[in-house]
Amino acid sequence: MHHDQMQRLCLASGGVLRDLISLARNAGENAYLDDADSIEVSHVDRSIEQLGNSYLLGLGTRQKTVLKKMLDGEGFAPSDSESMELLITRRILEQSGSRYEVHPALTTVLPRASDDSE
C-alpha cells in the first residue's frame, strides 16, 4: 500500500482507532476480492464508503439535516437527545476545544443520501 493511501485511511478514521482498524481490514478484503497483489486507491475508496454507509444506516431525516448543516458550516451544540446520540454513535466527533466535526467517512456518503430514506 502506498503511503498516500495509508494517510487517507488515517484521515478517514477521524482519529478513532476502531475505525482505522476497520478501514484497513476492509481495504485489505477489497484487494483480496479483486485478486490484487496490493491495496490500491479503489480499495481504499470502497473501504471509506463502506464505513460511511455503516454510519449512515439508521439515521433519521432530522439527524441527516443536522449533519448536512454542519457540513455547510453551521455550528453544532449537543443540546438534545438526538444531537447527543450523534456524538455517542461517533457520527459527530468532538475535537479539542469543544469543536465538533462530522465523521470524515460519513462526509463522503452524506451528500448523496436522500433526505426521505430512514
Side-chain angles (χ1 to χ4, degrees):
M1 179 186 327
H2 192 269
H3 180 268
D4 291 344
Q5 299 316 311
M6 286 188 272
Q7 187 172 11
R8 285 185 62 219
L9 290 176
C10 291
L11 292 173
S13 75
V16 179
L17 184 57
R18 176 181 300 207
D19 291 343
L20 176 60
I21 293 167
S22 177
L23 285 163
R25 183 187 64 240
N26 287 342
E29 288 175 0
N30 291 333
Y32 176 79
L33 291 171
D34 284 350
D35 200 26
D37 292 332
S38 63
I39 296 172
E40 304 296 335
V41 173
S42 63
H43 305 129
V44 171
D45 289 342
R46 270 190 282 166
S47 179
I48 294 169
E49 188 172 343
Q50 288 167 329
L51 182 62
N53 283 331
S54 73
Y55 279 124
L56 190 61
L57 286 175
L59 285 178
T61 303
R62 188 177 137 147
Q63 291 171 316
K64 288 179 193 175
T65 300
V66 168
L67 293 170
K68 287 180 180 181
K69 285 181 179 180
M70 285 186 69
L71 290 178
D72 290 338
E74 292 188 28
F76 173 78
S79 57
D80 58 30
S81 62
E82 282 189 338
S83 297
M84 287 302 295
E85 183 182 350
L86 291 171
L87 270 172
I88 292 167
T89 59
R90 296 189 318 265
R91 289 172 170 111
I92 292 178
L93 302 175
E94 183 176 9
Q95 304 300 328
S96 60
S98 296
R99 189 176 60 84
Y100 300 95
E101 67 178 27
V102 176
H103 193 290
L106 186 53
T107 63
T108 63
V109 296
L110 189 61
R112 298 186 305 254
S114 172
D115 288 355
D116 55 4
S117 64
E118 297 217 19

